[in-house]
């Protein structure tokens, strides 16, 4: 049956056109009930068939409201707000209408993905019913009826149809369909029409055997509106339509809200757009912050210039237990308003409305109420930038001392804190598995096991290279190829070879795992790898970007097995000048998988002269020349203390902690990887000037170097920063025979001045320069097992040399730009997660080590503290001179010659000191390494 929908649409030119859409209605769409003999079977190739459908005898929690067998059918708002309830294993046999799914898709992409995943989970028995194409459940919109009211009516029509349909099935006991809605009006209409309808709370309360489910109820009332009553604390948010008009006319500014870690009464808003003026706006005080949460997209109104403030240097943590004590908040706000130099004042504003909430589930701990048998408690998130959240729970005693996940439901004007609900218990605080889970969740690292939908795109085992693979590849198995990696490395991306050719020149090859052969564009494996973006390396765990079969086996260039590779081969002279470059898909057979130490030992050993060692010596000789050229060209050699843990083989706790030692062979491998990346970048840019995925490193603004220049000046050294070459040369000269570690400290400080390197699409940017490498063009080609950017680069290069065919998304610069945005985010979060893992393992190490005194150097001075580095452990920490309950010593801070005088002792940047190191466990959620100055005595 065919029906048509007609509507009017205005074109860009202003003309009005009539659009007629054909809408097909069918009678053969199944209801999804397993025992239904009235409906045709579901087609085997549909997504619905992949899920298991509704059970003939619905199992699940027994309800006191509807003791008979029943299915549930929620409306849109209920699904949007109560997704945590619907995901619970107790809730089964749910019908999700097409009307509801479409509305959810338009309103919340994350919830839409979650409900699609639930529908695909067989043991949940959720069924997606295409009611908009069923002849008996499709309805037309009435004249004067809003889209919302039409959709509500469509849902009620579908519930009624289901109940009538299920009654026709000749069975002992007919199954009832229960309508779940939190919309008061919709529920009333349903009851009038003879439909059994309950609110989510009514139904969940009826599941008497599962009282814990009540904790997961989102704290919202009718139609998802927030519950409000009592004293008003915050100004009202301006409606979205008025905000958009205000932003258009310039009354308000739109930006991303960034809360402060150190001061809960202060935040900044990064304004969107190109305007350099007022790029960053300060927000101070509870009412001006007006219920915004970190990463929300907000609308800001600038205050008059006489109300502008300076960024606060005060540390304020929200540690009050009385959640509505506003007088105390106002006292704290008065601390922020100290008199400051006019030059320090910054554009200041207030939040007038929220454009888009970016709430996510938050990890943290319950701060149990002091009131006996109270149900309302405060949850303290692990991330200090997130406000505390008020939740209701009956399991406070069980959850105390546990890491839990909580979701925010809303933030009424009368509440000091947002309302939320309990989602999940992760385990005991301090437990290694629990803390690793927390840091992965808090840094948004996708770490769930790969789904069956992804794994089905892996090659079937046993796998071998076929004749078809051989046809379009160069056979390089005769070459003496070897890999050099850290100890224990199983995901070997790269291998090298070096040999002299007949004309006396040298042939050097970099062979990279051909991951793009196994991961084809657009399939589920490709989408999952793109979403993950990068492999994340924690201290004891690796979160793979691609399944282990590829990362540690079929793609890994292990020794003595045939592997598919993408090779970059140069012909060079003995001065390491490139004479020819070629790229080819290849087959290699690595002759050795070496560690950096093993490769170094071969190079240094006079007794070893085999082919592998000869190849390594040739590579090492050329690498030294390449490195000198790069440094002469202005490339920077910076330093950051990398830490390595030695683990106990049984407990897996850290028993030793030391900085990583770099060998010549580390540098050898790095030089050829850099050279391959530059060669490939030039090739893909020449071939695809608009669509090349490149990597750039912006030059830092001059002000970034202030701290480095001042610190060097305090030691009578001059650091020039007008170019990367000038910086590199002055760092080389900045040495003190009496203080050999000084140069390393200066390089560590220089690293802190740098900008973040980022991926970008060549057709969307004009600045390609890589500041740190002093290279006019650069990309990532050499690590496709652990970086998705490299897979895209492989695909571009394969098309450029005619080894593979293109596809539409590869040559769409807007899609490529969006992909770069995700890759940059994933790389940044992976970096933060790695640092958090090192910090946690460092805490474990000092927990078992007890109190130690160690030599340290001062890196930075602050108004009330010094930041020190302990070279032995590569550990950085802050020594505070102000402590609660203790008399504060006399402090004199000098910003020009970075120094801090404590009583009569002056501490300068780079001074050598001795510190006492312990683990402070007074706050179990935020354990920290505590450092106290031992020498000099202050």
């Amino acid at each position: 049956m065919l029906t048509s929908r007609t509507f009017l649409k205005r074109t860009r030119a202003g003309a009005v056109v009539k659009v007629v859409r054909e809408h097909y209605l069918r009678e053969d769409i199944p209801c999804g009930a397993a025992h239904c003999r009235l409906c045709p079977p579901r087609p085997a190739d549909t997504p619905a068939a992949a899920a298991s459908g509704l059970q003939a005898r619905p199992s699940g929690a027994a309800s006191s409201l509807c003791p008979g067998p029943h299915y549930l059918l929620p409306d849109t708002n209920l699904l949007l707000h109560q997704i945590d309830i619907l995901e619970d294993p107790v809730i089964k046999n749910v019908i999700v209408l097409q009307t509801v799914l479409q509305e959810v898709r338009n309103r919340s992409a994350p919830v839409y993905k979650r409900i699609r995943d639930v529908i695909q989970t067989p043991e949940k028995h959720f069924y997606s019913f295409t009611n908009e194409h069923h002849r008996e459940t499709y309805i037309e919109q009435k004249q004067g009826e809003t889209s919302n009211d039409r959709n509500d009516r469509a849902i009620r029509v579908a519930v009624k149809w289901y109940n009538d349909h299920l009654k026709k099935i000749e069975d002992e006991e007919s199954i009832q369909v229960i309508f779940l809605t939190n919309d008061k009006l919709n529920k009333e209409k349903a009851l009038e029409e003879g439909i059994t309808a309950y609110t989510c709370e009514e139904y969940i309360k009826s599941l008497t055997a599962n009282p814990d489910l009540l904790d997961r109820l989102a704290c919202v009332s009718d139609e998802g509106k927030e519950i409000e009553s009592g004293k008003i604390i915050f100004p009202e948010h301006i409606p979205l339509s008025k905000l958009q008009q205000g932003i258009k006319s310039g009354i308000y500014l739109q930006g991303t809200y960034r809360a402060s870690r150190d001061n809960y009464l202060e935040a900044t808003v990064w304004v969107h757009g190109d305007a350099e003026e007022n790029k960053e706006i300060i927000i101070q005080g509870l009412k001006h912050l007006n219920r915004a949460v970190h990463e929300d997209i907000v609308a800001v109104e600038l205050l008059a210039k006489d109300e502008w403030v300076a960024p606060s240097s005060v540390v304020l943590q929200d540690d009050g237990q009385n959640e509505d004590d506003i007088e105390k908040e106002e006292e704290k706000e008065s601390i922020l308003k100290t008199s400051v130099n006019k030059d320090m004042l910054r554009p200041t504003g207030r939040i007038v409305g929220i454009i888009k909430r970016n709430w996510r589930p938050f990890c943290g701990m319950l701060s149990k109420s002091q009131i006996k048998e109270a149900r309302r408690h405060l949850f303290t998130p692990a991330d200090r930038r997130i406000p505390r959240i008020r939740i209701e729970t009956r399991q406070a005693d069980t959850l105390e001392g546990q890491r839990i996940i909580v979701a925010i439901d809303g933030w009424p004007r009368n509440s000091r804190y947002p309302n939320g609900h309990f989602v999940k218990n992760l385990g005991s605080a301090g437990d290694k598995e629990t803390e690793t889970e927390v840091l992965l969740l808090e840094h948004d690292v996708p770490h769930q096991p790969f789904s069956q939908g992804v794994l089905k795109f892996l090659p079937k085992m046993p796998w071998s290279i076929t004749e078809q693979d051989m046809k379009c590849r160069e056979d390089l198995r005769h070459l003496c190829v070897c890999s050099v990696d850290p100890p224990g490395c199983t995901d070997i991306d790269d291998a090298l070879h070096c040999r002299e050719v007949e004309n006396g020149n040298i042939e050097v090859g970099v062979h990279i795992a051909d991951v793009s052969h196994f991961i084809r564009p657009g399939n589920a494996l490709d989408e999952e790898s793109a979403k993950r973006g990068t492999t994340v390396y924690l201290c004891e765990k690796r979160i793979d970007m691609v399944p282990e079969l590829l990362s540690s086996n079929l793609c890994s260039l292990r020794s003595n097995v045939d592997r598919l590779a993408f090779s970059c081969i140069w012909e060079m002279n003995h001065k390491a000048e490139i004479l020819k470059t070629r790229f080819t898909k290849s087959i290699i057979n690595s002759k050795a998988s070496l560690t950096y130490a093993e490769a170094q030992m071969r190079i240094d050993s006079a007794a070893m002269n085999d082919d592998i060692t000869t190849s390594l010596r040739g590579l090492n000789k050329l690498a030294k020349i390449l490195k000198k050229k790069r440094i002469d060209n202005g490339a920077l050699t910076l330093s950051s203390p990398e830490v390595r843990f030695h683990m106990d083989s049984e407990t897996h706790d850290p028993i030793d902690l030391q900085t990583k030692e770099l060998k010549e062979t580390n540098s050898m491998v790095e030089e050829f990887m850099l050279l391959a990346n530059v060669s490939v970048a030039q090739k893909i840019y020449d071939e695809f000037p608009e669509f090349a995925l490149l990597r750039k490193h912006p030059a830092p603004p001059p002000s970034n170097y202030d701290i480095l220049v001042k610190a060097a000046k305090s030691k009578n050294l001059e650091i020039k920063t007008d170019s990367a070459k000038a910086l590199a040369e002055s760092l080389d000269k900045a040495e003190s025979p009496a203080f050999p570690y000084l140069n390393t400290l200066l390089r560590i400080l220089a690293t802190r001045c740098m900008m973040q390197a980022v991926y970008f699409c060549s057709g969307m940017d004009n600045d390609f320069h890589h500041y740190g490498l002093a290279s006019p063009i650069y990309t990532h080609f050499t690590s496709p097992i652990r970086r998705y950017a490299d897979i895209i680069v492989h695909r571009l290069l394969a098309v450029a040399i005619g080894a593979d065919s293109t596809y539409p998304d590869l040559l769409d610069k807007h899609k490529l730009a969006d992909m770069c945005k995700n890759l940059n985010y994933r790389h940044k979060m992976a970096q933060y997660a790695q640092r958090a893992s090192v910090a946690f393992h460092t805490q474990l190490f000092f927990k078992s080590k007890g109190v130690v005194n160690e030599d340290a150097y001062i890196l930075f001075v602050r108004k009330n503290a010094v930041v020190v580095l302990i070279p032995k452990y590569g550990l950085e920490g802050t020594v505070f001179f102000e402590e609660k309950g203790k008399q504060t010593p006399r402090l004199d801070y000098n910003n020009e010659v970075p120094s801090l005088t404590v009583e009569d002792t002056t501490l300068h940047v780079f001074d050598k000191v001795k510190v006492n190191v312990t683990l402070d466990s007074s706050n179990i959620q935020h354990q920290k390494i505590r450092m106290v100055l031992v020498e000099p005595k202050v």
Side-chain angles (χ1 to χ4, degrees):
M1 181 182 169
L2 181 69
T3 182
S4 61
R5 294 160 75 182
T6 308
F7 56 93
L8 299 175
K9 183 182 172 185
R10 191 180 292 277
T11 64
R12 281 185 180 177
V16 175
V17 292
K18 186 178 183 181
V19 179
V20 179
R21 288 240 172 101
E22 291 180 337
H23 189 83
Y24 289 88
L25 299 178
R26 302 167 59 158
E27 292 180 329
D28 59 350
I29 297 170
C31 69
H35 64 309
C36 182
R37 292 179 294 276
L38 303 173
C39 292
R42 286 173 284 161
D45 60 344
T46 63
S52 60
L54 305 160
Q55 288 175 301
R57 295 283 94 200
S59 67
S63 165
S64 58
L65 282 173
C66 27
H70 58 273
Y71 300 144
L72 300 174
L73 195 152
D75 72 358
T76 308
N77 275 317
L78 193 130
L79 201 150
L80 278 167
H81 296 288
Q82 307 293 354
I83 183 70
D84 288 322
I85 288 279
L86 295 170
E87 283 177 330
D88 194 281
V90 166
I91 305 298
K92 295 179 181 178
N93 293 292
V94 175
I95 300 160
V96 183
L97 298 179
Q98 182 190 1
T99 310
V100 170
L101 262 182
Q102 283 172 345
E103 277 196 281
V104 168
R105 187 179 194 169
N106 293 335
R107 287 169 61 182
S108 172
V111 174
Y112 178 73
K113 181 175 185 318
R114 286 168 73 181
I115 195 65
R116 294 293 312 174
D117 288 346
V118 174
I119 292 167
Q120 294 300 319
T121 308
E123 55 272 19
K124 287 284 285 172
H125 299 286
F126 273 49
Y127 180 68
S128 172
F129 178 61
T130 320
N131 65 307
E132 294 291 354
H133 288 277
H134 194 291
R135 193 170 67 82
E136 291 180 44
T137 56
Y138 171 75
I139 60 162
E140 295 277 359
Q141 189 170 344
K142 292 178 180 174
Q143 205 170 351
E145 187 178 41
T146 65
S147 298
N148 198 38
D149 287 345
R150 181 259 168 211
N151 288 346
D152 284 348
R153 187 162 60 86
I155 295 167
R156 295 195 302 274
V157 165
V159 179
K160 213 167 173 8
W161 175 83
Y162 254 106
N163 277 318
D164 293 343
H165 177 78
L166 293 173
K167 275 176 193 166
K168 293 174 191 170
I169 301 169
E170 293 166 21
D171 221 329
E172 299 153 29
E173 190 177 6
S174 66
I175 296 169
Q176 194 180 7
V177 174
I178 308 292
F179 179 38
L180 294 183
T181 178
N182 283 344
D183 179 344
K184 197 177 171 186
L185 196 64
N186 204 4
K187 186 187 168 192
E188 282 172 6
K189 284 183 179 174
L191 293 170
E192 281 169 21
E193 292 167 17
I195 296 167
T196 306
Y198 299 112
T199 64
C200 191
E201 190 172 354
E202 286 169 343
Y203 181 75
I204 296 303
K205 278 183 175 173
S206 78
L207 308 179
T208 47
N210 302 85
D212 291 355
L213 262 182
L214 282 167
D215 287 357
R216 301 188 73 177
L217 272 173
C219 187
V220 286
S221 63
D222 178 30
E223 270 299 289
K225 294 189 186 81
E226 297 157 344
I227 301 161
E228 287 194 4
S229 62
K231 185 184 170 186
I232 300 297
I233 299 168
F234 296 101
E236 195 169 353
H237 284 152
I238 294 168
L240 192 59
S241 56
K242 285 188 179 174
L243 286 180
Q244 284 163 338
Q245 287 169 11
I247 289 163
K248 213 171 182 180
S249 62
I251 301 168
Y252 308 129
L253 296 166
Q254 177 178 322
T256 304
Y257 179 88
R258 303 266 166 83
S260 163
R261 277 181 207 279
D262 301 319
N263 186 338
Y264 75 101
L265 292 174
E266 183 173 277
T268 51
V269 171
W270 286 78
V271 177
H272 300 167
D274 302 324
E276 282 303 312
E277 193 190 7
N278 304 336
K279 194 77 180 162
E280 188 180 323
I281 298 170
I282 292 176
I283 316 288
Q284 266 187 14
L286 206 59
K287 289 180 181 175
H288 285 173
L289 297 173
N290 198 7
R291 297 170 286 156
V293 176
H294 184 63
E295 292 292 343
D296 282 351
I297 308 297
V298 297
V300 183
E301 181 179 51
L302 268 180
L303 299 177
K305 281 201 171 180
D306 59 356
E307 293 183 71
W308 286 12
V309 298
S312 168
S313 56
V314 180
V315 175
L316 280 180
Q317 301 295 340
D318 182 10
D319 49 12
Q321 267 296 334
N322 186 351
E323 57 187 81
D324 295 317
D325 194 346
I326 297 305
E327 285 73 22
K328 276 199 174 169
E329 304 292 357
E330 285 165 2
E331 262 176 57
K332 285 183 182 176
E333 281 178 32
S334 66
I335 298 170
L336 301 180
K337 293 171 175 60
T338 52
S339 59
V340 287
N341 183 331
K342 272 193 174 179
D343 295 341
M344 294 178 74
L345 298 177
R346 296 282 178 272
T348 307
R350 64 186 186 96
I351 306 290
V352 292
I354 309 292
I355 292 159
K356 183 175 180 280
R357 287 290 194 192
N358 270 326
W359 293 341
R360 59 178 174 83
F362 300 105
C363 300
M365 293 180 75
L366 198 68
S367 304
K368 199 177 156 199
S369 171
Q370 305 299 314
I371 302 161
K372 205 179 176 188
E373 290 184 25
R375 276 193 187 174
R376 289 169 75 178
H377 306 270
L378 281 177
F379 162 82
T380 305
D383 187 341
R384 292 187 189 275
R385 295 169 299 186
I386 306 300
R388 297 165 111 193
I389 302 164
R390 186 172 56 194
I391 67 166
E392 281 196 28
T393 177
R394 292 146 190 79
Q395 345 171 33
D397 292 336
T398 314
L399 297 179
E400 205 173 8
Q402 302 286 298
R403 289 281 203 173
I404 63 172
I405 298 178
V406 161
I408 298 179
D409 300 322
W411 196 340
R413 291 172 62 201
N414 66 313
S415 173
R416 167 67 187 84
Y417 297 111
N419 294 324
H421 65 274
F422 167 76
V423 176
K424 189 180 179 185
N425 183 356
L426 295 172
S428 299
D431 172 75
K432 203 186 299 182
E433 285 298 312
T434 305
E435 295 303 331
T436 301
E437 178 75 4
V438 168
L439 78 84
L440 290 170
L441 288 166
E442 281 299 291
H443 294 98
D444 194 17
V445 174
H447 60 286
Q448 65 285 357
F450 289 98
S451 70
Q452 285 308 311
V454 167
L455 297 174
K456 75 178 183 188
F457 286 99
L458 291 173
K460 301 289 174 279
M461 296 301 284
W463 174 86
S464 62
I465 295 170
T466 64
E467 274 187 35
Q468 187 60 35
D469 294 331
M470 302 283 279
K471 272 182 191 172
C472 48
R473 289 177 186 272
E474 207 170 315
D475 191 342
L476 303 178
R477 287 176 288 187
H478 60 286
L479 293 177
C480 186
V481 171
C482 68
S483 63
V484 185
D485 290 282
C489 177
T490 60
D491 52 344
I492 302 170
D493 283 291
D494 54 88
L496 299 149
H497 90 270
C498 173
R499 64 173 181 169
E500 199 163 301
V501 286
E502 285 173 6
N503 61 9
N505 289 330
I506 303 165
E507 180 188 87
V508 176
V510 164
H511 311 277
I512 305 300
D514 189 3
V515 182
S516 62
H517 173 83
F518 297 96
I519 300 180
R520 301 309 295 162
N523 68 24
L525 176 57
D526 183 45
E527 285 173 3
E528 181 64 25
S529 306
K531 183 184 125 189
R532 293 186 179 219
T534 178
T535 292
V536 182
Y537 294 90
L538 305 181
C539 289
E540 274 190 280
K541 197 175 188 174
R542 189 180 82 199
I543 314 297
D544 282 327
M545 180 185 83
V546 299
E548 195 177 13
L549 178 66
L550 295 182
S551 67
S552 295
N553 187 349
L554 302 185
C555 290
S556 185
L557 304 181
R558 303 189 305 192
S559 54
N560 304 313
V561 286
D562 292 352
R563 287 289 176 258
L564 302 179
F566 209 150
S567 300
C568 172
I569 299 169
W570 304 276
E571 187 178 321
M572 296 179 176
N573 60 23
H574 288 265
K575 293 177 187 172
E577 291 166 342
I578 297 169
L579 308 172
K580 284 182 195 166
T581 306
R582 67 188 183 90
F583 306 98
T584 178
K585 291 258 184 165
S586 62
I587 298 170
I588 64 163
N589 187 303
S590 171
K591 304 300 179 272
S593 302
L594 305 172
T595 65
Y596 290 116
E598 287 166 350
Q600 191 66 54
M601 191 187 72
R602 279 174 175 264
I603 290 168
D604 297 341
S605 169
M608 298 190 82
N609 289 297
D610 57 279
D611 288 351
I612 294 168
T613 307
T614 307
S615 177
L616 287 168
R617 285 186 187 133
L619 289 165
N620 198 35
K621 190 178 171 186
L622 291 168
K624 286 177 182 176
I625 303 169
L626 289 168
K627 185 170 186 176
K628 186 179 183 304
K629 279 186 193 171
R630 264 194 329 107
I631 289 168
D632 290 348
N633 206 22
L636 296 171
T637 308
L638 299 178
S639 180
S640 60
E642 283 196 71
V643 176
R644 183 145 183 203
F645 293 95
H646 292 276
M647 302 293 183
D648 184 291
S649 57
E650 287 182 23
T651 64
H652 295 287
D653 285 340
I655 48 175
D656 194 12
L657 172 62
Q658 63 187 57
T659 47
K660 289 182 185 173
E661 185 194 348
L662 296 179
K663 300 189 182 298
E664 241 181 35
T665 43
N666 291 74
S667 177
M668 177 189 83
V669 172
E670 184 187 10
E671 284 309 314
F672 287 107
M673 296 308 117
L674 294 175
L675 191 62
N677 287 334
V678 171
S679 298
V680 171
Q682 194 60 58
K683 177 69 176 174
I684 61 171
Y685 177 64
D686 290 345
E687 199 73 28
F688 304 109
E690 289 288 298
F691 315 113
L693 190 155
L694 302 175
R695 187 163 175 83
K696 67 173 180 175
H697 182 214
S703 60
N704 277 30
Y705 287 124
D706 287 353
I707 193 154
L708 174 67
V709 172
K710 284 178 184 174
K713 200 176 174 185
S714 72
K715 295 291 177 205
N716 298 316
L717 296 168
E718 187 187 8
I719 297 287
K720 291 180 178 172
T721 60
D722 33 334
S723 71
K725 190 170 171 62
L727 174 64
E729 285 173 355
S730 51
L731 281 171
D732 286 341
K733 289 175 190 165
E735 290 198 339
S736 164
F739 186 5
Y741 197 65
L742 176 64
N743 192 264
T744 305
L745 289 169
L746 283 165
R747 289 180 194 276
I748 289 169
L749 220 51
T751 307
R752 307 295 165 88
C753 304
M754 293 298 139
M755 305 291 282
Q756 192 81 35
V758 288
Y759 296 111
F760 69 100
C761 170
S762 59
M764 305 287 274
D765 209 317
N766 298 319
D767 176 22
F768 292 11
H769 192 74
H770 197 293
Y771 180 80
L773 296 173
S775 176
I777 194 164
Y778 192 67
T779 193
H780 272 164
F781 162 75
T782 55
S783 294
I785 294 177
R786 60 186 178 88
R787 290 188 306 232
Y788 188 77
D790 303 50
I791 292 178
I792 296 296
V793 169
H794 276 227
R795 289 174 182 168
L796 287 164
L797 183 61
V799 175
I801 64 167
D804 206 344
S805 51
T806 185
Y807 59 98
D809 283 7
L810 193 65
L811 304 181
D812 182 329
K813 62 183 181 183
H814 296 285
K815 284 193 174 164
L816 198 57
D818 286 343
M819 183 186 288
C820 288
K821 197 175 170 184
N822 177 57
L823 293 175
N824 291 330
Y825 170 72
R826 291 293 178 206
H827 276 260
K828 184 174 72 177
M829 296 319 274
Q831 228 174 8
Y832 292 163
Q834 283 155 0
R835 284 180 204 163
S837 179
V838 168
F840 174 63
H841 280 78
T842 306
Q843 289 168 10
L844 287 180
F845 171 70
F846 282 105
K847 190 176 183 178
S848 60
K849 191 139 179 102
V851 183
V852 293
N853 289 346
E854 296 291 351
D855 288 338
Y857 293 98
I858 295 175
L859 272 184
F860 305 100
V861 290
R862 304 274 186 246
K863 286 183 181 176
N864 62 344
V866 291
V867 178
V868 299
L869 172 75
I870 303 174
K872 182 178 173 183
Y873 301 129
L875 177 66
E876 214 175 289
T878 307
V879 177
F880 287 99
F881 297 108
E882 291 177 332
E883 286 192 63
K884 276 185 185 174
K886 289 189 181 178
Q887 190 180 344
T888 302
R890 190 175 74 255
L891 300 172
D892 184 17
Y893 171 69
N894 183 341
N895 187 32
E896 285 311 304
V897 180
S899 66
L900 179 68
T901 304
V902 186
E903 295 293 346
D904 300 318
T905 306
T906 302
L907 302 168
H908 296 91
V909 170
F910 303 147
D911 279 1
K912 190 175 184 179
V913 294
K914 198 176 270 291
V915 290
N916 173 281
V917 187
T918 54
L919 178 67
D920 179 0
S921 303
S922 56
N923 179 340
I924 193 164
Q925 171 147 259
H926 295 118
Q927 291 189 74
K928 55 179 182 274
I929 302 292
R930 188 167 177 269
M931 294 190 185
V932 178
L933 203 63
V934 177
E935 286 174 24
K937 284 192 162 53
V938 293

